[in-house]
Amino acid sequence: MNRRLLRVGVRLHPEKGMFRVHDLGSDPSSLQAPPPPGTALVSVGYDQMWVGSLQDDVAITLLLEEWDAEPPSSPGPWEQEAFSELYLRGAVAVATATGEPVLHGVRLTGGVGRYHLAVRARHRAEIARLYDDLLDRFRDGFNAEFQAALRALEGVEHYLVQIWPVQPTGPLRVVVDSPI
């Protein structure tokens, strides 16, 4: 039976319409870095990925989970899903688009290696639409009614990022020290 080893939940603002899930040593400006996702859910590179939101002013909820093997189907409904792989050096981090750390170096039980990842999202388009409606209704962003309506939208846009180790395929090579 597959076991969840870690679950961390955070709220963050998707600055510039995105946030980054990455290895601690990854560089967002390296040649291996993925381009921004645009309207896509994810854009994945070697050791980092951008997760895209359709807005950048309303805080989102992110759940990050580590599993020992492929997780069972996640309760939905999820509006969008993406699946890929990342190389992680024993820890995973989350940062805003401007590099502000949200989660810094969450240690992975699976250690160093390639990880499968599943990214699921709900309420992406709905929150973007509702926020645009708010801007149309209120010309003053400091208005108490606007602020109350904005707080009601906080955390409704929801992302689930699940990671689990890629199992090696084929026979394992065993290296043994031998006396000379």
Side-chain angles (χ1 to χ4, degrees), residues 160-172:
L160 173 63
V161 175
Q162 296 173 307
I163 60 175
W164 65 97
V166 171
Q167 300 302 321
T169 57
L172 295 175

Side-chain angles (χ1 to χ4, degrees), residues 10-159:
V10 294
R11 286 254 175 105
L12 66 111
H13 278 87
E15 296 172 342
K16 300 181 182 178
M18 59 188 170
F19 61 94
R20 190 166 74 107
V21 177
H22 60 95
D23 178 75
L24 276 177
S26 68
D27 177 359
S29 62
S30 76
L31 292 176
Q32 295 177 335
T39 58
L41 179 58
V42 298
S43 178
V44 181
Y46 177 70
D47 58 1
Q48 59 191 299
M49 74 172 171
W50 290 108
V51 180
S53 172
L54 300 176
Q55 54 83 30
D56 59 6
D57 290 315
V58 180
I60 58 110
T61 299
L62 168 65
L63 288 176
L64 176 69
E65 297 179 346
E66 179 188 9
W67 288 77
D68 63 353
E70 184 173 358
S73 294
S74 189
W78 296 101
E79 295 162 4
Q80 290 181 291
E81 296 181 313
F83 301 90
S84 193
E85 288 184 12
L86 283 180
Y87 181 80
L88 299 170
R89 294 168 190 89
V92 64
V94 176
T96 65
T98 57
E100 180 183 335
V102 177
L103 290 174
H104 186 72
V106 176
R107 184 81 37 217
L108 298 172
T109 304
V112 176
R114 299 226 30 98
Y115 283 82
H116 293 288
L117 59 96
V119 180
R120 295 176 170 93
R122 68 169 63 113
H123 305 301
R124 271 176 95 222
E126 178 186 7
I127 293 301
R129 182 186 55 76
L130 289 171
Y131 184 70
D132 286 346
D133 291 349
L134 271 181
L135 293 176
D136 289 341
R137 281 192 359 234
F138 299 99
R139 295 294 174 205
D140 177 9
F142 296 105
N143 175 304
E145 261 186 283
F146 175 86
Q147 291 298 317
L150 180 60
R151 279 191 300 278
L153 298 179
E154 300 279 323
V156 173
E157 186 175 342
H158 191 107
Y159 295 84

